[in-house]
């Protein structure tokens, strides 16, 4: 190649990098080929510049076919619905044969998603061809004025400027990467540690009721409208080992995701992905659930999405590592009865779909992002519907009864009432549920309701002494001392608690 072709190659590159702020996608100096992308201006095409001897028309045909294939793969990786490409050939002379099908018109890929325009810059007619390029790309004429004489030093200067520019950009990006600490990951770990310490000092991190009280995923209270319990469980942990395992996993995978997706996308993946996990747990698991593992699995799902977005770049690096972590963790879930596998899978799927909807920074909008977003919302709504439907059907009342008892001991009638109301409405209430309902009614001085609840409790389970006591108290207030004595005697017979003995004796004296 003459100095003129080399000069034009590096001058064009210099202009697009330095003036139009294109980004280098690929540079193969030995093949004298490079690809450029403008991430700030969607309307600007991707540019391929190649310095090559095109001897015959069939050489052009093969290269155009190859370029269309490469551009289609690039379009998919970039997440673009359509991708225009300007393909610039710098060659010493025009190819032999009929090249009219390849120049002067737009060539489309078979799926019509890639539009290719070839521009030939031949040495013999270089200035004339440069004028066509200037018109096609709408660039200033003064940017590509050829000197009368081009020397080796001029070529070297243009090349050096390109290499210096690229090296400076790479160094800047590496410096930013080195100095950019995963602040969001560290902050999130700090939050879950702070929440763990708070819950520990407020009654213990392994105490079931304490976890319910401070926001654990507890279905009966979600049925009652406490929607914030889809969020709060992310920050709660049952025991130090539970906290440590999630913190370590987040430390491992979080830094990757935060660096790749950026802080704001990463925050959304953490929180919304964690919520997705808790929604799945709500729909499929009635047990109390806490932990940041739903958010951790969401981050893993987001990292797995990279394999779909850019398989050539991530499949053998991040993809392999994350797939192994997911497989190991899910295998542990299968053989552990105390781990919420529904929440983990929900977080994984939620994180994957979220990543698809948000995509990477500096990515243009693509219809697939909308599809991912719609899928995420649709799946979340489906699971919420399924979960709330379960709340209208009978379920095991024992965990809910225990929580009601604890709330009543803490004089929190409001939370206790929410749970009792749902137990009764769903047909889940047993004798103990109605007994607690009777107690709440008495505290609210609703004697008739307390009597009804106590009678219902006795009809379901005649061996609950408290139910007989509450019914006795209702009869006493109503003036039915005989009925009160009968129920008080039954309570005394069913329990060794001296309270019932003293209450019966008090009734006996009042009768006299």
């Amino acid at each position: 190649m003459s100095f003129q072709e080399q000069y034009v190659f590096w001058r064009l590159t210099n202009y697009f990098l330095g003036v139009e702020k294109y980004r280098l996608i690929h540079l193969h100096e030995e093949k004298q080929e490079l690809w450029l992308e403008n991430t700030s201006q969607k309307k600007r095409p991707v540019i391929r510049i190649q310095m090559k001897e095109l001897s015959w028309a069939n050489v052009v045909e093969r290269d155009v076919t190859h370029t269309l294939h490469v551009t289609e793969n690039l379009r998919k990786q970039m997440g673009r619905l359509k991708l225009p490409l300007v393909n610039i050939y710098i060659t010493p002379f025009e190819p032999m044969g009929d090249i009219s099908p390849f120049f002067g018109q737009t060539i489309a890929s078979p799926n019509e998603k890639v539009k290719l325009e070839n521009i030939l810059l031949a040495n013999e007619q270089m200035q004339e061809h440069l004028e066509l390029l200037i018109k096609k790309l709408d660039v200033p004429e003064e940017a590509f004025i050829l000197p009368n004489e081009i020397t080796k030093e001029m070529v070297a200067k243009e090349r050096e400027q390109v290499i210096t520019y690229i090296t400076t950009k790479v160094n800047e990006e590496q410096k930013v990467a080195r100095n950019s600490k995963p602040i969001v990951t560290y902050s999130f770990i700090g939050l879950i540690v702070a929440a763990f310490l708070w819950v520990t000092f407020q009654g213990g991190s392994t105490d079931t009721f304490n976890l319910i009280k401070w926001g654990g995923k507890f279905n009966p209270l979600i049925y009652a409208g406490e929607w914030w319990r889809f969020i709060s469980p992310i920050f709660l942990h049952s025991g130090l080992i539970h906290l440590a395992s999630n913190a370590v996993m987040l430390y491992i995978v979080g830094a990757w995701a935060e660096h790749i997706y950026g802080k704001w996308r990463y925050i959304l993946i953490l929180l919304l992905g964690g919520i997705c996990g808790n929604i799945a747990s709500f729909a499929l698991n009635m047990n109390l659930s806490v932990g940041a593992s739903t958010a951790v699995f969401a981050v893993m799902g987001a990292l797995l999405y990279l394999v779909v977005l850019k398989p050539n770049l991530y499949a053998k690096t991040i993809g392999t590592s994350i797939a192994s972590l997911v497989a190991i963790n899910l295998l542990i879930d299968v053989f552990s009865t105390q781990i919420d596998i529904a929440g983990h899978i929900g977080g994984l799927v939620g994180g994957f779909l979220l990543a698809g909807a948000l995509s990477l920074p500096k990515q243009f909008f693509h219809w697939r992002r909308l599809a991912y977003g719609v899928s995420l919302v649709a799946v979340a709504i489906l699971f919420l519907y399924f979960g709330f439907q379960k709340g209208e059907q009978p379920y095991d009342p024992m965990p809910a009864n225990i929580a009601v008892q604890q709330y009543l001991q803490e004089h929190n009638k409001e939370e206790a009432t929410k749970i009792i109301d749902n137990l009764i409405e769903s047909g889940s209430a047993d004798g103990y549920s109605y007994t607690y309902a009777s107690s709440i009614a008495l505290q609210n001085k609703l004697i008739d309701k307390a009597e009804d609840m106590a009678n219902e409790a006795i009809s379901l389970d005649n061996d609950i002494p408290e139910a007989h006591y509450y019914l006795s108290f209702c009869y006493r207030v109503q003036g039915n001392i005989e009925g009160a004595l009968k129920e008080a005697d039954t309570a005394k017979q069913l329990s060794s608690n001296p309270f019932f003995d003293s209450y019966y004796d008090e009734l006996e004296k009042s009768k006299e």
Side-chain angles (χ1 to χ4, degrees):
M1 293 290 174
S2 70
F3 290 150
Q4 178 170 275
E5 288 95 71
Q6 295 178 53
Y7 177 83
V8 170
F9 179 85
W10 293 113
R11 180 71 196 118
L12 287 174
T13 306
N14 230 334
Y15 171 79
F16 289 118
L17 288 175
V19 179
E20 293 208 18
K21 304 304 178 185
Y22 268 72
R23 182 176 69 90
L24 183 69
I25 302 174
H26 172 73
L27 171 62
H28 199 307
E29 195 167 355
E30 289 183 6
K31 290 185 177 181
Q32 298 176 310
E33 175 188 11
L34 58 80
W35 293 67
L36 302 167
E37 171 199 15
N38 195 322
T39 56
S40 60
Q41 299 184 54
K42 185 177 180 180
K43 293 182 179 180
R44 295 301 275 169
V46 171
I47 294 175
R48 179 205 187 212
I49 308 175
Q50 185 177 30
M51 188 161 50
K52 182 178 183 179
E53 289 187 8
L54 300 173
S55 52
W56 296 92
N58 61 349
V59 176
V60 177
E61 182 179 5
R62 285 197 301 270
D63 191 77
V64 167
T65 302
H66 170 72
T67 302
L68 282 171
H69 177 72
V70 173
T71 309
E72 173 61 17
N73 289 334
L74 180 62
R75 181 192 68 80
K76 292 177 180 177
Q77 291 183 17
M78 294 170 64
R80 298 277 292 272
L81 183 61
K82 293 186 177 181
L83 185 64
L85 173 74
V86 171
N87 187 27
I88 303 171
Y89 291 109
I90 301 173
T91 182
F93 44 80
E94 289 192 6
M96 299 292 289
D98 183 14
I99 60 171
S100 59
F102 310 109
F103 296 96
Q105 57 187 320
T106 301
I107 300 173
S109 61
N111 59 8
E112 300 288 330
K113 294 182 178 180
V114 171
K115 302 292 185 180
L116 173 64
E117 290 196 48
N118 296 309
I119 297 177
L120 184 68
L121 301 180
N123 187 29
E124 299 168 344
Q125 301 157 299
M126 184 64 73
Q127 190 59 56
E128 179 184 340
H129 289 171
L130 276 174
E131 290 172 3
L132 291 174
L133 181 144
I134 288 169
K135 184 178 180 181
K136 176 67 65 177
L137 295 180
D138 191 24
V139 298
E141 293 183 13
E142 60 271 17
F144 302 121
I145 297 176
L146 287 177
N148 293 328
E149 183 179 355
I150 299 173
T151 64
K152 181 179 180 181
E153 288 73 22
M154 294 171 66
V155 173
K157 181 181 176 182
E158 292 291 336
R159 177 185 177 279
E160 187 63 30
Q161 286 180 353
V162 170
I163 299 301
T164 301
Y165 181 86
I166 295 170
T167 303
T168 302
K169 281 291 183 182
V170 170
N171 288 337
E172 287 176 356
E173 290 177 1
Q174 289 179 346
K175 184 178 179 180
V176 170
R178 285 193 301 268
N179 296 334
S180 178
K181 297 187 182 299
I183 300 300
V184 175
T185 298
Y186 293 162
S187 300
F188 190 85
I189 292 174
L191 281 174
I192 63 176
V193 170
F196 175 80
L197 293 174
W198 173 263
V199 172
T200 298
F201 289 116
Q202 292 298 316
S205 66
T206 58
D207 181 85
T208 300
F209 176 68
N210 201 41
L211 291 172
I212 293 174
K213 185 171 68 172
W214 289 107
K217 189 231 75 180
F218 188 58
N219 285 21
L221 285 172
I222 295 178
Y223 298 147
E226 294 188 358
W227 57 266
W228 49 269
R229 289 181 181 269
F230 290 121
I231 305 170
S232 52
I234 298 171
F235 302 95
L236 303 176
H237 290 84
S238 179
L240 184 59
I241 294 177
H242 188 206
L243 170 71
S245 62
N246 281 335
V248 169
M249 285 298 298
L250 187 62
Y251 180 82
I252 293 171
V253 301
W256 285 349
E258 185 172 347
H259 175 69
I260 293 170
Y261 283 98
K263 289 179 171 48
W264 291 111
R265 284 176 172 81
Y266 178 59
I267 290 172
L268 291 174
I269 289 168
L270 268 177
L271 295 180
L272 296 182
I275 291 170
C276 288
N278 288 326
I279 289 174
S281 175
F282 167 68
L284 302 174
N285 179 15
M286 287 294 296
N287 297 328
L288 169 70
S289 180
V290 295
S293 53
T294 53
V296 173
F297 269 83
V299 173
M300 292 182 185
L303 291 172
L304 284 177
Y305 170 74
L306 296 174
V307 180
V308 174
L309 183 64
K310 297 185 177 181
N312 295 335
L313 183 60
Y314 293 111
K316 294 182 180 180
T317 54
I318 287 178
T320 303
S321 302
I322 296 301
S324 300
L325 283 173
V326 170
I328 291 169
N329 278 275
L330 291 180
L331 188 63
I332 293 172
D333 291 353
V334 170
F335 292 100
S336 177
T337 57
Q338 296 183 340
I339 292 179
D340 186 1
I341 190 171
H344 290 181
I345 295 176
L348 185 73
V349 173
F352 183 90
L353 294 176
L354 267 168
L358 297 171
S359 195
L360 296 177
K362 298 181 180 179
Q363 292 288 304
F364 296 121
F365 179 78
H366 189 279
W367 66 268
R368 286 185 305 181
R369 292 175 63 178
L370 179 62
Y372 277 112
V374 170
S375 298
L376 177 68
V377 172
V379 171
I381 291 174
L382 178 65
F383 274 77
L384 282 171
Y385 174 78
F386 182 67
F388 279 107
Q389 282 292 106
K390 288 178 67 175
E392 297 175 1
Q393 302 167 3
Y395 57 88
D396 182 8
M398 186 175 71
N401 285 337
I402 294 172
V404 170
Q405 183 183 33
Q406 296 284 345
Y407 274 123
L408 289 176
Q409 288 176 0
E410 293 195 350
H411 307 290
N412 190 340
K413 293 187 296 180
E414 182 180 355
E415 292 297 288
T417 300
K418 288 180 182 178
I419 300 174
I420 287 296
D421 287 347
N422 181 258
L423 285 170
I424 293 174
E425 289 172 6
S426 65
S428 306
D430 61 6
Y432 288 97
S433 307
Y434 281 106
T435 300
Y436 296 133
S438 179
S439 172
I440 294 170
L442 282 174
Q443 292 179 51
N444 293 330
K445 298 181 181 180
L446 302 173
I447 303 303
D448 291 341
K449 182 177 180 180
E451 179 185 355
D452 292 339
M453 295 295 101
N455 274 317
E456 188 67 32
I458 292 167
S459 69
L460 292 172
D461 189 343
N462 192 45
D463 295 330
I464 303 174
E466 290 80 6
H468 291 281
Y469 163 71
Y470 294 141
L471 183 57
S472 171
F473 190 89
C474 292
Y475 287 157
R476 183 181 181 181
V477 172
Q478 294 167 350
N480 182 359
I481 302 301
E482 289 295 333
L485 273 171
K486 179 182 176 184
E487 295 301 328
D489 182 57
T490 303
K492 182 179 70 170
Q493 299 299 323
L494 290 172
S495 174
S496 59
N497 191 331
F499 169 80
F500 295 115
D501 292 326
S502 61
Y503 173 73
Y504 180 81
D505 292 341
E506 182 185 341
L507 275 177
E508 281 281 7
K509 291 178 181 178
S510 65
K511 181 182 177 181
E512 296 174 359

